Amino acid sequence: MNVTVITKDEHTVVALRGRLDTTQADAVEKEVVEILDQKHSHIIFDCKEMDYISSSGLRIFLIAQKRMMATGGQLKLCSLQAGIQEIFDMSGFSMIFSIFPDLESALNG
Amino acid sequence: MGKHDHIICLELSNRLSELANIQEALEANAERLGVSTAMLMSLNLVVEEAFTNIVNYAYADQEQHTIAICINRNDQQLVITLTDDGQPYDPTQNADPDIELPAEKRQVGGLGIFLIRKIMDKVEYERKDNKNYLILTKNMTQ
């Protein structure tokens, strides 16, 4: 999995590309925690090119959400592929994240 | 033989690096197993969660072990069987996480078995000849 960070106005956009499976989870968690440590107030995870997730990946999203809530920051997700949206629905994650259909609406929402 | 009868079997060692081989085998056989692209991801997830649990929790020693995964497809069902020689462990006894809790109260982890149960129609466990058998069944519509 490839993690890229870009800044758009007050938003820090973290693009996740590839598969977020058990073998990738530790490395991705480390990168995400480093981003969270920088205490950005608005973070968007752009999942447009994330084409697989398992429970080890879901765990990273939950860690991020807990951290952002604790510090009063705002976390948004956008562009989830259909299969991934389904996994979010099953796990109840659709209710605990602000999910937007695309990056544009996440930036403006 | 029905038109969908097909079986694939993998013998893997108890290392997480085998997940790449699982993915490859599923992708290569998706069409023969009658699995759509959308379903491929959830089946990959099911096998990954079950396999990862075995690798991480079944063995008290540091030895190499073999974990067998067989996927059996007939006209009505797709059946995934994972067999390991680890300690007895029945994941069907796990309590489901409460998925209606707000983020701050959600437990980090514990979703693997839950997702297997949500995706598959039947989850069964057997212990025989000192082996664990996890049998996961998905009903397939024609």
Side-chain angles (χ1 to χ4, degrees):
Chain A
M1 158 144 281
N2 184 274
V3 182
T4 323
V5 182
I6 53 161
T7 306
K8 279 197 177 183
D9 302 323
E10 80 269 30
H11 291 98
T12 303
V13 181
V14 182
L16 304 167
R17 292 193 185 84
R19 294 172 64 87
L20 187 41
D21 67 7
T22 303
T23 58
Q24 304 285 312
D26 284 351
V28 175
E29 181 178 339
K30 221 168 156 186
E31 286 189 70
V32 167
V33 166
E34 270 172 32
I35 296 163
L36 294 168
D37 283 344
Q38 293 161 15
K39 306 211 185 307
H40 302 288
S41 57
H42 295 78
I43 295 181
I44 299 173
F45 283 120
D46 183 351
C47 304
K48 192 177 176 186
E49 291 176 64
M50 178 171 81
D51 38 38
Y52 179 86
I53 196 165
S54 65
S55 67
S56 52
L58 291 172
R59 191 178 162 274
I60 299 170
F61 283 97
L62 185 57
I63 291 171
Q65 181 68 304
K66 282 175 183 276
R67 283 272 304 264
M68 291 301 278
M69 288 173 88
T71 56
Q74 196 183 50
L75 177 67
K76 295 174 186 170
L77 272 54
C78 73
S79 315
L80 270 65
Q81 293 181 15
I84 289 173
Q85 177 71 55
E86 207 179 310
I87 303 298
F88 268 70
D89 291 345
M90 281 180 198
S91 355
F93 273 36
S94 303
M95 292 185 292
I96 57 178
F97 290 95
S98 305
I99 302 176
F100 293 81
D102 49 48
L103 180 58
E104 187 70 23
S105 52
L107 288 165
N108 298 320
Chain B
M1 293 277 285
K3 71 181 163 105
H4 279 122
D5 285 12
H6 191 68
I7 183 162
I8 61 166
C9 284
L10 305 171
E11 286 206 346
L12 306 162
S13 63
N14 54 323
R15 285 193 312 247
L16 292 179
S17 56
E18 295 277 30
L19 287 170
N21 296 323
I22 293 174
Q23 178 202 346
E24 202 177 302
L26 286 174
E27 281 173 6
N29 287 281
E31 202 173 319
R32 272 180 287 175
L33 292 169
V35 170
S36 66
T37 314
M39 194 193 273
L40 184 63
M41 170 168 154
S42 32
L43 284 182
N44 195 154
L45 181 146
V46 162
V47 179
E48 174 179 332
E49 304 293 351
F51 180 80
T52 302
N53 263 338
I54 296 168
V55 173
N56 287 341
Y57 306 116
Y59 304 107
D61 59 41
Q62 304 297 314
E63 305 294 312
Q64 184 168 320
H65 295 267
T66 300
I67 301 166
I69 301 177
C70 278
I71 305 177
N72 210 328
R73 170 77 155 100
N74 61 37
D75 281 342
Q76 289 83 35
Q77 291 177 323
L78 186 139
V79 184
I80 305 169
T81 307
L82 291 97
T83 310
D84 70 82
D85 62 349
Q87 309 169 68
Y89 171 62
D90 180 358
T92 64
Q93 300 303 311
N94 277 37
D96 282 343
D98 184 348
I99 62 160
E100 294 189 354
L101 289 175
E104 60 269 29
K105 292 194 176 143
R106 287 286 303 256
Q107 298 273 345
V108 174
L111 272 174
I113 301 287
F114 175 75
L115 287 172
I116 292 176
R117 281 208 199 112
K118 293 287 275 190
I119 292 166
M120 303 306 278
D121 293 299
K122 199 160 63 175
V123 177
E124 298 161 288
Y125 169 81
E126 277 176 40
R127 177 83 184 174
K128 58 181 185 207
D129 306 326
N130 290 319
K131 285 183 176 170
N132 295 308
Y133 292 83
L134 186 62
I135 305 143
L136 313 169
T137 305
K138 177 97 185 154
N139 297 329
M140 306 291 278
T141 44
Q142 294 295 302

